[in-house]
Amino acid sequence: MSNADQAYHGDEIAIVGMAGRFPGANNLDAFWQNLRDGVESITFFSDQDVLESGVDPALLDNPCYVRAKGILDDIAGFDAALFGYTPREAEIMDPQQRLFLECAWQALEHAGYLSDASTARIGVFAGTTMSSYALNLYLSSEIVERVGPFQIGLGNDKDYLPTRVSYKLNLKGPSVTVQTACSSSLVAVHLACQSLLNGECEIALAGGASITVPHKAGYLYQEGGIASPDGHCRAFDANAQGTVGGNGMGVVVLKPLAAALDDGDSIHAVIKGSAINNDGAMKAGYTAPSVQGQAEVIAEALTVARVEPESIGYIEAHGTGTPVGDPIELTALARVFQGKTGRRQFCGIGSVKSNIGHLDAAAGVAGLIKTALALKHRVLPPSLHFEQPNPNADLANSPFYVVDRLVQWTASDTPRRAGVSSFGIGGTNAHVVLEEAPQIAPSGAARPWHLLTLSAKTGSALDTATSDLLAYLRQHPAANLADIAYTLQVGRKTLPYRRAL
């Protein structure tokens, strides 16, 4: 698809940087490889794991206790010195806040905008799960007496996630906490786009974090609830019985598309349009989803994006794998699509929750990053555990098919496009329409010699940065060395330990 085939109207937003940590993947390269390979990154815990986490031993004999969760490799590690924290200050800070701060740094580095020389107004829009870490701190009288409840609150309260990033990275755009339960991070993306279009900032970070402690602990299955009885999420399948929890976080760096093209940014995908709404009261209960609410937000996003449903090749669904939620979601999608086209089974659908679990406040941005990577690599990764379609959803006569294996994403007469949905308990729905990035002409002929510069806070961190650069060059032998040298020189913080080649 050439740029001539991509119509822009001046209100598109470019994704120019991304970072994330997900179950089984400490970076986006590993995340994408797991998605491609159809890896389920859910950990099933042993008796010892559960007991060492401080879980009540009586739960081990409870047949309803499911020892499964999507977990991160290391939630205790944190580069406190890089951000000017003492070890004691870091100790009382929620891992969600610590690791999200690192992800925000990494995302800006990925975009090439983490520089002391940057004058851009950069906003932050993000949400997080309720801090279970804080509950443990408040229960310790020794910690409360030593640091005081106010300091514990500063390190753990939901309100301080985005403003902590703005403070530590010296970002001066809007800094807004977004809390709409499971849809928080995708709502944050929508609000960030609106802030960019309104001129409140020139670059925006958007995303969410979700880490629960104790980390290696399962959950009690309740019949009729949203949790799976066996720790697997079977989105859209006849045997779907619920979802499984997961820990993780993601951040995207957003910029108006016209500005990104003018500035020569790396563009990973384009946000054509987005919308949010709420179900209101016309549904079975406060926690229940709504066909009408979901259909309206999807239709509005498509209208804002100025695209027809028939041009959408993939939907990254909310896809919790619940017997009630999946049919409602598919019914809402079908209502929107079938109002415009009679074609059947032309649009793939899947759910990242089948790979990594339900990341709560970070679920939406996880699906957004998955879909942006799929557009970039032009393949659709499999949604796991699908064997037979849910009998309450008429997939065969709908526009959708479940992507149950790795599929090459071929272009049609329009650019590759996708929709991403996220629906929160309480009824706040979000939908984002994505399009593949425009083709950008490569940089011209470069001089034969280039200066590669690196800097870090400590000597060991400098060695790690050097190893990371070497690994990147080996993995991407065709990368333009002039572009790499330029980004290293103008898109990085200047830190005390330095190396040049």
Side-chain angles (χ1 to χ4, degrees):
M1 187 62 56
S2 68
N3 286 355
D5 297 308
Q6 292 180 277
Y8 300 126
H9 299 88
D11 54 2
E12 292 85 1
I13 301 296
I15 299 176
V16 298
M18 301 186 291
R21 300 186 189 183
F22 301 104
N26 288 327
N27 56 62
L28 295 191
D29 286 340
F31 181 51
W32 176 245
Q33 193 62 51
N34 286 344
L35 293 174
R36 276 186 56 97
D37 294 346
V39 175
E40 182 186 46
S41 299
I42 301 299
T43 299
F44 290 82
F45 308 120
S46 66
D47 288 356
Q48 183 178 353
D49 289 332
V50 173
L51 292 173
E52 287 178 352
S53 293
V55 173
D56 184 352
L59 285 175
L60 296 178
D61 297 323
N62 188 329
C64 293
Y65 185 69
V66 184
R67 311 176 197 186
K69 188 197 294 185
I71 63 172
L72 301 180
D73 288 344
D74 180 14
I75 65 168
F78 174 60
D79 196 345
L82 176 63
F83 299 102
Y85 287 111
T86 66
R88 177 165 291 184
E89 288 173 323
E91 181 185 23
I92 63 166
M93 193 187 304
D94 190 329
Q96 297 178 116
Q97 306 236 3
R98 294 195 302 247
L99 299 187
F100 188 83
L101 181 55
E102 290 187 343
C103 268
W105 176 290
Q106 291 167 340
L108 281 173
E109 275 203 338
H110 191 235
Y113 282 103
L114 189 68
S115 169
D116 299 313
S118 176
T119 59
R121 287 174 300 158
I122 302 177
V124 184
F125 299 79
T128 184
T129 298
M130 182 180 70
S131 177
S132 52
Y133 192 76
L135 297 177
N136 291 328
L137 294 177
Y138 282 124
L139 289 172
S140 170
S141 58
E142 185 275 326
I143 293 177
V144 173
E145 291 174 7
R146 173 162 56 87
V147 301
F150 180 68
Q151 291 299 323
I152 293 175
L154 284 179
N156 293 269
D157 195 284
K158 289 179 173 184
D159 288 352
Y160 306 127
L161 181 76
T163 51
R164 183 182 305 282
V165 171
S166 296
Y167 174 64
K168 284 298 180 179
L169 301 187
N170 193 30
L171 311 180
K172 299 177 181 178
S175 195
V176 181
T177 300
V178 182
Q179 296 299 157
T180 60
C182 324
S183 60
S184 294
S185 58
L186 203 63
V187 171
V189 170
H190 169 79
L191 295 178
C193 291
Q194 295 303 305
S195 184
L196 289 165
L197 294 173
N198 290 335
E200 295 170 341
C201 54
E202 294 145 309
I203 299 171
L205 296 172
S210 182
I211 298 175
T212 55
V213 294
H215 202 44
K216 293 183 178 181
Y219 58 90
L220 281 170
Y221 166 71
Q222 293 180 315
E223 188 172 356
I226 66 169
S228 163
D230 62 1
H232 300 290
C233 177
R234 298 176 172 84
F236 312 114
D237 189 73
N239 293 318
Q241 299 181 73
T243 193
V244 57
N247 287 191
M249 63 192 60
V251 184
V252 292
V253 183
L254 307 175
K255 189 175 178 180
L257 176 61
L261 290 170
D262 288 344
D263 294 339
D265 292 313
S266 293
I267 300 173
H268 305 282
V270 174
I271 296 176
K272 294 284 287 183
S274 62
I276 59 174
N277 72 0
N278 190 274
D279 295 332
M282 301 305 290
K283 56 182 183 178
Y286 178 71
T287 63
S290 161
V291 170
Q292 184 68 21
Q294 292 181 19
E296 287 179 354
V297 81
I298 294 164
E300 182 180 349
L302 288 166
T303 299
V304 171
R306 301 179 181 88
V307 301
E308 293 297 323
E310 200 165 358
S311 72
I312 303 294
Y314 177 71
I315 295 290
E316 174 60 27
H318 188 61
T320 54
T322 58
V324 174
D326 283 0
I328 285 178
E329 181 168 10
L330 288 168
T331 299
L333 281 163
R335 179 178 295 183
V336 175
F337 277 59
Q338 289 172 336
K340 297 285 187 176
T341 178
R343 289 181 61 196
R344 298 180 181 180
Q345 296 198 313
F346 66 89
C347 181
I349 192 168
S351 172
V352 75
K353 293 176 182 64
S354 67
N355 302 89
I356 60 175
H358 190 345
L359 269 53
D360 194 59
V365 75
L368 183 77
I369 289 173
K370 169 192 170 180
T371 309
L373 291 170
L375 284 164
K376 182 177 180 178
H377 294 283
R378 300 180 175 181
V379 296
L380 295 174
S383 193
L384 307 185
H385 310 306
F386 179 79
E387 296 177 357
Q388 296 292 328
N390 189 313
N392 295 316
D394 189 9
L395 271 173
N397 294 307
S398 81
F400 309 104
Y401 67 93
V402 176
V403 182
D404 59 357
R405 59 182 60 83
L406 189 69
V407 177
Q408 292 298 316
W409 194 346
T410 56
S412 60
D413 56 351
T414 62
R416 295 170 182 84
R417 291 177 182 148
V420 182
S421 292
S422 191
F423 309 129
I425 284 179
T428 295
N429 308 308
H431 190 77
V432 173
V433 178
L434 291 178
E435 185 175 280
E436 63 182 322
Q439 294 181 8
I440 298 175
S443 302
R447 61 177 67 89
W449 299 95
H450 300 281
L451 183 67
L452 301 180
T453 58
L454 294 166
S455 70
K457 188 76 172 180
T458 65
S460 60
L462 182 61
D463 289 340
T464 299
T466 306
S467 298
D468 289 345
L469 176 60
L470 177 61
Y472 179 86
L473 293 172
R474 283 175 170 161
Q475 291 169 7
H476 303 86
N480 188 311
L481 196 61
D483 289 344
I484 293 170
Y486 176 82
T487 300
L488 290 173
Q489 290 176 43
V490 305
R492 295 290 184 268
K493 287 277 187 185
T494 302
L495 299 169
Y497 286 80
R498 304 176 190 179
R499 178 170 290 149
L501 173 67

